[in-house]
Amino acid sequence: MEYFSLLGGTKIPAFGLGTYQMTKREVVKNSILTAIKLGYRHFDTAEIYGNQAFVGEALEESGVPRNELFITTKIWMNHYKDVRSALKEDLKRLRTDYVDLLLLHQPLCNYVDAFKELIKLKKEGLVKAIGVSNFENEHIHKLIEKTGVIPEVNQIEIHPFCQRKEQVDYCKRNGILIEDWYPLANAKSKLLDNEVIKEIAKKYDKTPGQIILRWHFEIGHVAFPRATSEAHLKENIEIFNFALNKEDVEKINALDTGKGYDKPVWLKKITETLKKANH
Ligand SMILES: NC(=O)c1ccc[n+]([C@@H]2O[C@H](COP(=O)([O-])OP(=O)(O)OC[C@H]3O[C@@H](n4cnc5c(N)ncnc54)[C@H](OP(=O)(O)O)[C@@H]3O)[C@@H](O)[C@H]2O)c1
């Protein structure tokens, strides 16, 4: 496994397993336990995914020492007023006494005060690193201005069709590591069937998924595709035995459409309601 370093010095595995939309106990446990056998040590969850208890159960059952695991969770905006108690509940469900990375899930409600609480929790050792998710440059700028602390991570939707260059440049300038959610564009966007990706896959004798996931690593971002099938789990982690050349990275960079994919209706509704309530 390859690692990146966060601003505060924490080492983070460059690759892991996402658990969004994995809600059934058996599915979560099977995926995590299979992933662990294949060498995964980094797991991304969130309170809103409703699976922390199953993630905790699987990680405990795996028998892997806690200090070899990297666990990320996220605080949903309804808990921005009580981040500390929300984290304590997360820890209980995850069966651990700290998380490696704690993120604010959305730039909504009073995210500045919530981030101040994250800073305290990090000082107390309940979390090793802190960051944000779905934050635009202006939100991060406000956090830095109000707290003097730079979030160590911004987790945003990034894949070859949606590359967010301005956000990436801003984060890189500030030393913020980017985590790419939806790394395979959820396998629904035709990204895996794209001719450029397929041609590169043929050249390296790899699958389209491996080419895309290697691209995330080549551009210096963390990725944690969700996978429930053993074949996908195995395929996805086998990206550290080859490298894309600069020309092929550039060919993939050229696929950017400037458009993202995931805006579930329920999230849109919550976001709009909260925006109205807060502004
Ligand atoms: N911060 C946020 O707001 C946010 C939002 C969305 C996601 N995330 C995080 O990012 C993670 C990844 O995003 P995601 O789960 O939405 O989408 P994704 O990882 O891009 O796609 C997951 C889908 O791709 C399939 N798949 C996995 N590997 C494949 C391969 N090698 N070839 C073909 N298909 C493959 C999976 O199928 P099988 O299950 O059948 O294997 C699953 O249906 C999430 O799980 C979550 O942890 C964060």
Side-chain angles (χ1 to χ4, degrees), residues 51-86:
N51 62 16
Q52 287 174 324
F54 309 143
V55 172
E57 203 180 321
L59 293 178
E60 190 176 83
E61 210 172 297
S62 76
V64 174
R66 175 64 184 90
N67 63 2
E68 290 176 23
L69 297 169
F70 192 101
I71 307 174
T72 298
T73 193
K74 315 178 194 91
I75 303 284
W76 194 243
M77 53 216 159
N78 61 330
H79 285 307
Y80 283 5
K81 286 194 185 118
D82 58 349
V83 170
R84 178 175 297 267
S85 45

Side-chain angles (χ1 to χ4, degrees), residues 111 135-143 170:
Y111 62 85
F135 275 47
E136 308 277 341
N137 295 352
E138 59 183 290
H139 306 119
I140 298 183
H141 182 75
K142 187 166 162 191
L143 281 188
Y170 177 87

